[in-house]
Amino acid sequence: MKKSILALAALAIVAWGCSSDDNDSNNPPQPSEISVGTDVRPNWQAPNYDLFEQVMNVQVQLQDTLTKYVSEADLLCATIGGEVRAVTAPRQVGDGWVAPLTVASNDAGVAVELSYYCEQLHRIFTTAWTTFDASVAPTGTGGIYQPEFVKPNK
């Protein structure tokens, strides 16, 4: 008898957990529902630009999905081969946030990765970004100017 009651209770819990309130929706969770992490503020240090032959200046616009979490306490870091080549804090411009980056390199065409630390979320987001090109325009739209740290749900 005890086993039957336990089995019925377990069945009720499973059935309740599978109710149609949330799970039957065709709307997957939005990327704006970003979970809080446990990352500590990184100690990224700006490079000594005198040691490099070239720099690439770019104004990076932070992704709309992250806008409600951004603050001036955040950091954006560019790396080449795992070595820090630029560090900056975002600045609010109108309704958006931009991060002016000066990326240093001795070689053109090398892969550059971006990491973004969000103080409010205690998370570091990293994305493959672009290849180093000192001749790129400092401002623009799309591509390297608006990197995607949080991928949309499909």
Side-chain angles (χ1 to χ4, degrees):
M1 180 76 171
K2 244 183 186 177
K3 288 183 181 178
S4 298
I5 292 172
L6 288 175
L8 283 173
L11 185 58
I13 290 171
V14 169
W16 177 66
C18 295
S19 71
S20 62
D21 290 345
D22 297 320
N23 295 338
D24 287 345
S25 172
N26 288 330
N27 299 324
Q30 297 301 307
S32 62
E33 298 169 2
I34 302 171
S35 62
V36 174
T38 58
D39 294 329
V40 295
R41 183 179 179 81
N43 188 22
W44 294 323
Q45 298 295 313
N48 179 348
Y49 290 98
D50 293 334
L51 300 176
F52 298 94
E53 296 173 6
Q54 304 173 59
V55 293
M56 179 174 96
N57 294 302
V58 179
Q59 291 252 0
V60 174
Q61 296 175 349
L62 290 174
Q63 187 176 2
D64 289 343
T65 305
L66 295 169
T67 300
K68 69 181 182 179
Y69 305 106
V70 179
S71 76
E72 291 177 352
D74 298 355
L75 290 174
L76 190 68
C77 172
T79 59
I80 295 176
E83 185 180 319
V84 174
R85 299 297 181 89
V87 178
T88 191
R91 297 180 180 120
Q92 189 163 17
V93 177
D95 292 338
W97 289 84
V98 297
L101 276 179
T102 299
V103 184
S105 181
N106 289 324
D107 302 305
V110 293
V112 182
E113 189 173 73
L114 275 185
S115 295
Y116 165 64
Y117 171 72
C118 180
E119 178 70 29
Q120 183 177 344
L121 294 172
H122 299 288
R123 289 195 52 193
I124 297 173
F125 300 89
T126 300
T127 188
W129 183 38
T130 190
T131 55
F132 183 87
D133 181 357
S135 68
V136 72
T139 60
T141 58
I144 66 170
Y145 304 102
Q146 297 172 318
E148 189 174 69
F149 289 101
V150 180
K151 307 293 184 211
N153 294 331
K154 293 182 181 182

